[in-house]
Amino acid sequence: MIEIISESKCVSCNQCVHVCPTNVFDRVENGIPVIARQSDCQTCFMCELYCPVDALYVSPDAEAAIQISEKEVEQQGLLGGYREKVGWGPGRKPVSSHEYMYQLAVKTRF
Amino acid sequence: MSVASVKAADLQLVADVLVIGGGPAGTWAAITAASKGAKVVLVDKGYCGSSGATAPSGTGVWYVKPDAELREEAKQSRFGLGGHLAENSWMDRVLDRTYENMNKIAEWGYPFPNDENGTQYRRGLQGPEYMKLMRKKAQKSGVKILDHSPALELLADEHGVGGATGVRTQAGGTWTVHAGAVVIASGGCAFLSKALGCNVLTGDGYLLAAEAGAELSGMEFSNAYAISPTFSSVTKTAYYKYASFYYEDGSVVEGAGSQKGRSIIARNLQQGRQVYARLDQAPEDIQPLLRVGQTNFFLPFDRLGIDPFKDKFPVTLRLEGTVRGTGGIHIAGEHCATKVPGLYAAGDAATRELICGGFTGGGSHNAAWAMSSGSFAGEGAAVYALNLGLKKEFRRLKGLSSSPLSAKAADQSASRKTEEYVRSVQEEVMPYDRNLFRTEKGLDGSIERLDGIWNELRSKAVTLDSDGVKTREAAAMTATARWMYHSARVRTETRGMHKREDFPQLDNEQHHRLVSGGLDQVWVKPQEVQKEAVIH
């Protein structure tokens, strides 16, 4: 479930509010968005992917909220990892064009 | 007649084609309708680009070069698994259209990987990239997209369907779109199981269609379960072909596997024995490729410090319902028309039996069906709507919701009650001994309880806000479960994914489709499979 919107990183672009398929966030006038309906989160990671400044952290646990602080998330280097792997963001190459995609298909018939 | 259709909506639009749902099928329908000159509005319950089962995942695509031998092999590959219910002409049409559409996606700039000769390899799609591109293409084509705008009911008159109305969960207020034709592309139903991306897929389109008088087909093929870690939403069963399965004490679960051995996992879980998996069958040279192929498969493991190739982790089976089942709205014509004039269905909202019978072994058929049926429906809807001409101007449309829409505000007890209904429906469809392994006795019990839930929900007011949306979702899931189980009860055999414990064999006398429908009274009737199927 979505756990963290980093106060120090968030630029209030509200992309997460827009892209969340289950409408978990609320926009805040003159502030950063809030996680308003955490239990509606389906743990699809799309908000993390669309966040342009890697300010969000979605915990893999789809069933229950966990206790984790912004500081812990940052120390463990958990912010922005998914976006990097998908290859979104300036100077990155989309993973969809990765040569391994083809090699995997040839070797496994996926 | 419901209140919303009497009171003017806050946002009123007129279009030729209204598309409900903004996943692959919906965006293909919208783009294709627009290319035929239709004015198109697309509404999505969430956000077109991130909503649905495709957006967060990678998927293979049933993309086969137009070579007679390759095509024949492709058609044969799952024909038997599907219980011989696919139709040759539909498989041909979908293979043709998928080939054409994948090549269009390449033209539109999708970054496909290259093979060793530098030629693009076009047999797979990464959801985030694909759906971002489809949204952009829809906007470029002039499609008006309303995000966070779930439909609550269809509008119709004696000539057929003519639009829909709903609410705007972020912008606030209500919307109404009057349109010459409506395409339902709102996905299947996974009963809020948190299978990856599936919580927006609550069978809404089935209910909308049935309220308009459309039929469903193959609803017995609705018991797909995916393997996932117990702690995660990520359902990528294909990767478990490299898994060994273990009990807590480290001994091997004999016969367990990602394909046929899924039942063995289910029976263990049902008896309270936790099953663990480890991807220890993956050769070392494949491991880095797997990491790239499905980036999000590894995300939960990485974040928890688990190496799935070396460490055992507990698994469960998450219900994917009709999302990876094959049942859905019955298709009555080549352009994915339903039997109701002006109403079309595409993607997982429609039956996929036409190309894969009662079983889909993976995402590639569903992905092919979504882009093909979406574009068939978009063409059909555009031509139908444009031919209506002036007739569409003076229609007296009324709302079709089976529960009354109400402009009053929701109260808290109503939303708690909705949650209870949802849990009650989940208790009927999630347990393996009710849905995966079916018996007459079990189905009868579930049907009786589901009928009770339906009767209560039927009279519950649907408020014009997010709570009302949830009430309608609960009704849609209840209705879906009833069509599923009534159909499953009638099919007294085991075919495709439908398993009857009391009828474990395939019965040649039941080589037909089961068409179903009805709201207060659910009915099921057999229908012949098109005879020209040349493959055996």
Side-chain angles (χ1 to χ4, degrees):
Chain A
M1 287 180 170
I2 176 72
E3 292 290 345
I4 302 287
I5 304 178
S6 163
E7 282 177 43
S8 57
K9 292 191 170 216
C10 177
V11 292
S12 301
C13 72
N14 289 306
Q15 267 291 84
C16 54
V17 182
H18 291 297
V19 303
C20 174
T22 54
N23 200 24
V24 162
F25 304 93
D26 271 344
R27 174 195 295 266
V28 172
E29 241 4 271
N30 304 317
I32 67 170
V34 292
I35 302 167
R37 289 164 293 275
Q38 191 183 23
S39 62
D40 283 347
C41 175
Q42 60 171 348
T43 318
C44 68
F45 306 100
M46 295 306 285
C47 56
E48 256 194 65
L49 192 53
Y50 273 84
C51 178
V53 292
D54 298 330
L56 300 176
Y57 176 68
V58 177
S59 145
D61 194 328
E63 305 295 344
I66 55 158
Q67 294 296 321
I68 194 163
S69 68
E70 181 178 341
K71 206 172 143 199
E72 285 170 292
V73 163
E74 212 149 352
Q75 276 169 352
Q76 292 172 38
L78 292 171
L79 293 172
Y82 183 41
R83 193 162 74 107
E84 188 185 354
K85 288 216 164 67
V86 174
W88 282 14
R92 289 177 182 152
K93 192 173 160 220
V95 74
S96 60
S97 63
H98 199 292
E99 58 184 311
Y100 283 7
M101 289 284 174
Y102 168 67
Q103 290 176 21
L104 180 68
V106 170
K107 288 191 178 172
T108 67
R109 300 186 48 124
F110 276 147
Chain B
M1 189 188 299
S2 61
V3 177
S5 55
V6 181
K7 188 175 160 261
D10 302 310
L11 174 68
Q12 297 188 57
L13 298 169
V14 177
D16 296 308
V17 175
L18 167 66
V19 179
I20 299 176
T27 46
W28 272 106
I31 293 165
T32 311
S35 76
K36 299 282 167 198
K39 189 178 167 198
V40 183
V41 175
L42 181 153
V43 293
D44 193 288
K45 180 153 83 169
Y47 176 87
C48 169
S50 68
S51 268
T54 298
S57 309
T59 179
V61 180
W62 206 35
Y63 175 85
V64 185
K65 296 205 167 88
D67 167 290
E69 206 172 306
L70 291 174
R71 288 277 171 102
E72 196 54 32
E73 193 189 323
K75 290 192 287 182
Q76 293 282 3
S77 69
R78 292 183 189 171
F79 188 65
L81 275 176
H84 308 267
L85 292 174
E87 292 187 12
N88 196 44
S89 61
W90 273 96
M91 288 193 278
D92 284 337
R93 294 182 68 215
V94 167
L95 282 165
D96 282 345
R97 184 57 67 94
T98 300
Y99 187 73
E100 209 178 289
N101 284 358
M102 285 296 277
N103 295 341
K104 274 189 193 164
I105 292 172
E107 262 173 54
W108 298 341
Y110 179 91
F112 283 106
N114 287 337
D115 66 14
E116 54 277 279
N117 304 318
T119 309
Q120 281 192 345
Y121 179 79
R122 297 177 181 169
R123 292 189 64 170
L125 289 166
Q126 293 295 308
E129 207 70 55
Y130 175 30
M131 291 317 300
K132 189 169 77 171
L133 178 70
M134 292 302 285
R135 179 184 177 92
K136 212 174 7 173
K137 183 67 190 170
Q139 285 172 324
K140 266 197 198 157
S141 311
V143 173
K144 182 170 178 63
I145 297 174
L146 300 180
D147 297 305
H148 300 286
S149 300
L152 287 178
E153 65 176 353
L154 292 180
L155 304 174
D157 61 11
E158 69 275 23
H159 303 297
V161 168
T165 186
V167 293
R168 309 194 73 199
T169 50
Q170 287 194 354
T174 55
W175 59 264
T176 291
V177 177
H178 286 189
V182 175
V183 179
I184 293 185
S186 50
C189 184
F191 297 96
L192 299 176
S193 69
K194 295 209 171 171
L196 191 63
C198 288
N199 266 29
V200 291
L201 309 172
T202 46
D204 310 351
Y206 302 151
L207 180 59
L208 294 173
E211 285 169 343
E215 298 173 336
L216 297 126
S217 181
M219 291 304 282
E220 68 277 32
F221 305 120
S222 47
N223 51 349
Y225 287 82
I227 303 175
S228 91
T230 51
F231 48 78
S232 158
S233 57
V234 179
T235 41
K236 288 284 126 208
T237 303
Y239 274 23
Y240 290 89
K241 86 172 191 187
Y242 295 114
S244 305
F245 295 89
Y246 302 92
Y247 294 112
E248 182 138 36
D249 65 6
S251 60
V252 172
V253 181
E254 292 299 337
S258 63
Q259 289 300 319
K260 287 192 170 153
R262 229 178 288 186
S263 295
I264 293 174
I265 298 172
R267 290 195 199 278
N268 275 293
L269 294 174
Q270 196 184 311
Q271 286 158 20
R273 277 198 296 275
Q274 183 58 57
V275 173
Y276 297 79
R278 182 169 65 190
L279 305 183
D280 45 22
Q281 306 292 317
E284 248 173 65
D285 62 321
I286 301 270
Q287 291 178 14
L289 309 185
L290 290 171
R291 283 194 168 272
V292 165
Q294 295 279 0
T295 42
N296 60 9
F297 180 89
F298 293 91
L299 197 61
F301 296 114
D302 291 346
R303 288 184 177 183
L304 294 167
I306 297 168
D307 179 348
F309 298 114
K310 294 199 172 80
D311 305 329
K312 298 188 191 101
F313 52 91
V315 293
T316 188
L317 293 171
R318 249 175 230 284
L319 180 63
E320 290 182 311
T322 64
V323 176
R324 268 211 203 208
T326 63
I329 299 167
H330 185 50
I331 297 297
E334 280 198 344
H335 284 103
C336 294
T338 67
K339 64 174 270 197
V340 181
L343 187 64
Y344 296 76
D348 289 351
T351 182
R352 284 134 287 160
E353 292 163 294
L354 298 164
I355 61 157
C356 47
F359 183 89
T360 105
S364 76
H365 282 63
N366 287 25
W369 174 252
M371 67 176 70
S372 305
S373 63
S375 58
F376 295 147
E379 281 167 8
V383 169
Y384 178 88
L386 294 170
N387 283 341
L388 280 181
L390 285 175
K391 273 181 274 177
K392 72 178 178 198
E393 298 294 328
F394 307 101
R395 297 178 70 171
R396 298 170 72 98
L397 299 163
K398 62 173 190 171
L400 300 178
S401 173
S402 42
S403 313
L405 301 201
S406 162
K408 284 190 200 136
D411 62 66
Q412 275 205 329
S413 70
S415 80
R416 271 200 304 275
K417 192 75 193 151
T418 303
E419 285 171 27
E420 276 174 37
Y421 289 130
V422 170
R423 271 196 300 275
S424 304
V425 174
Q426 287 175 330
E427 276 165 28
E428 302 304 332
V429 294
M430 285 184 177
Y432 313 127
D433 57 344
R434 291 204 174 127
N435 194 4
L436 184 54
F437 310 117
R438 295 162 166 174
T439 62
E440 183 174 292
K441 192 162 165 264
L443 292 167
D444 281 345
S446 288
I447 286 169
E448 198 186 323
R449 290 184 292 273
L450 289 163
D451 284 349
I453 299 169
W454 173 259
N455 288 335
E456 282 189 41
L457 272 167
R458 185 79 159 76
S459 53
K460 285 274 175 284
V462 175
T463 53
L464 301 176
D465 52 21
S466 304
D467 285 318
V469 174
K470 290 193 171 182
T471 311
R472 285 289 277 167
E473 288 178 347
M477 287 187 278
T478 311
T480 302
R482 291 168 76 228
W483 294 312
M484 280 164 52
Y485 281 179
H486 277 277
S487 302
R489 194 184 181 287
V490 171
R491 194 176 281 285
T492 50
E493 62 162 348
T494 290
R495 185 186 293 268
M497 66 170 55
H498 166 70
K499 290 186 187 67
R500 281 287 295 262
E501 294 276 272
D502 41 359
F503 297 97
Q505 303 299 326
L506 188 125
D507 171 12
N508 285 328
E509 297 299 307
Q510 296 186 52
H511 179 238
H512 49 232
R513 297 195 196 296
L514 290 177
V515 176
S516 58
L519 295 162
D520 293 332
Q521 291 298 324
V522 171
W523 53 263
V524 179
K525 64 180 186 203
Q527 191 182 81
E528 231 177 311
V529 178
Q530 204 183 306
K531 275 281 191 284
E532 50 74 61
V534 289
I535 55 185
H536 301 286

